[in-house]
Amino acid sequence: MFCMNRVNNFYLSRGDTFKFPIIINKSPTKLEFDKYELSENDIIYGAILEPNQAFEDALIRKVITFQSEKDENNNPLFILNSDDTEYLLTGKYYITFKLKHNDEITTILPMKEFWITGTNKEVCRCCC
């Protein structure tokens, strides 16, 4: 199984909302498409990581389940809200997804570049 996507790199302006439909192909090749529908027991873990960072230590982690928000084609959505990236430094990160089905965990989207663009936000360092 793997996540279908048409891009090798993702771009997001720091502080914007990001919605990405997760379309899973259960066929072993990209030549055939057999859509995998999440069951009630499935869990998708999404993560935004710094270079060389372990999945478990990701800066941003999201859990997507059967009950999560879906797009118009009934695909589960990976959603980053504005406050998820508001204080991240601009630059290169990585995005990846893992599917937990029964007792098996499968990487359905190997790490792809995820660029945060824009300007860095100053953190108030005053005594207020």
Side-chain angles (χ1 to χ4, degrees):
M1 280 191 264
F2 55 93
C3 182
M4 301 291 293
N5 71 313
R6 295 185 181 130
V7 296
N8 286 323
N9 301 333
F10 294 86
Y11 293 88
L12 175 68
S13 291
R14 187 190 50 73
D16 282 0
T17 300
F18 177 80
K19 292 185 178 187
F20 179 73
I22 301 174
I23 305 166
I24 303 171
N25 185 0
K26 62 182 176 181
S27 170
T29 71
K30 292 183 181 181
L31 298 175
E32 300 172 30
F33 181 74
D34 187 9
K35 184 177 177 182
Y36 178 80
E37 299 286 345
L38 285 183
S39 73
E40 291 186 25
N41 298 322
D42 289 341
I43 301 172
I44 297 173
Y45 298 99
I48 304 293
L49 309 102
E50 293 180 302
N52 299 316
Q53 187 173 38
F55 184 86
E56 297 79 9
D57 298 326
L59 292 173
I60 301 171
R61 291 178 298 221
K62 299 285 182 166
V63 174
I64 299 132
T65 65
F66 181 77
Q67 290 85 20
S68 295
E69 185 177 340
K70 295 176 178 62
D71 68 6
E72 63 278 357
N73 296 316
N74 205 36
N75 298 310
L77 291 171
F78 174 76
I79 301 172
L80 293 177
N81 297 310
S82 176
D83 58 347
D84 288 324
T85 62
E86 181 178 9
Y87 290 101
L88 290 183
L89 294 174
T90 57
K92 181 167 72 170
Y93 296 87
Y94 291 91
I95 186 171
T96 187
F97 297 116
K98 295 179 182 283
L99 171 67
K100 182 177 181 187
H101 175 73
N102 298 326
D103 289 330
E104 294 182 17
I105 296 179
T106 304
T107 299
I108 56 174
L109 181 70
M111 289 203 198
K112 301 282 185 182
E113 290 182 2
F114 190 90
W115 290 87
I116 301 289
T117 62
T119 57
N120 294 325
K121 186 170 186 173
E122 293 280 331
V123 177
C124 176
R125 298 187 194 283
C126 60
C127 57
C128 38

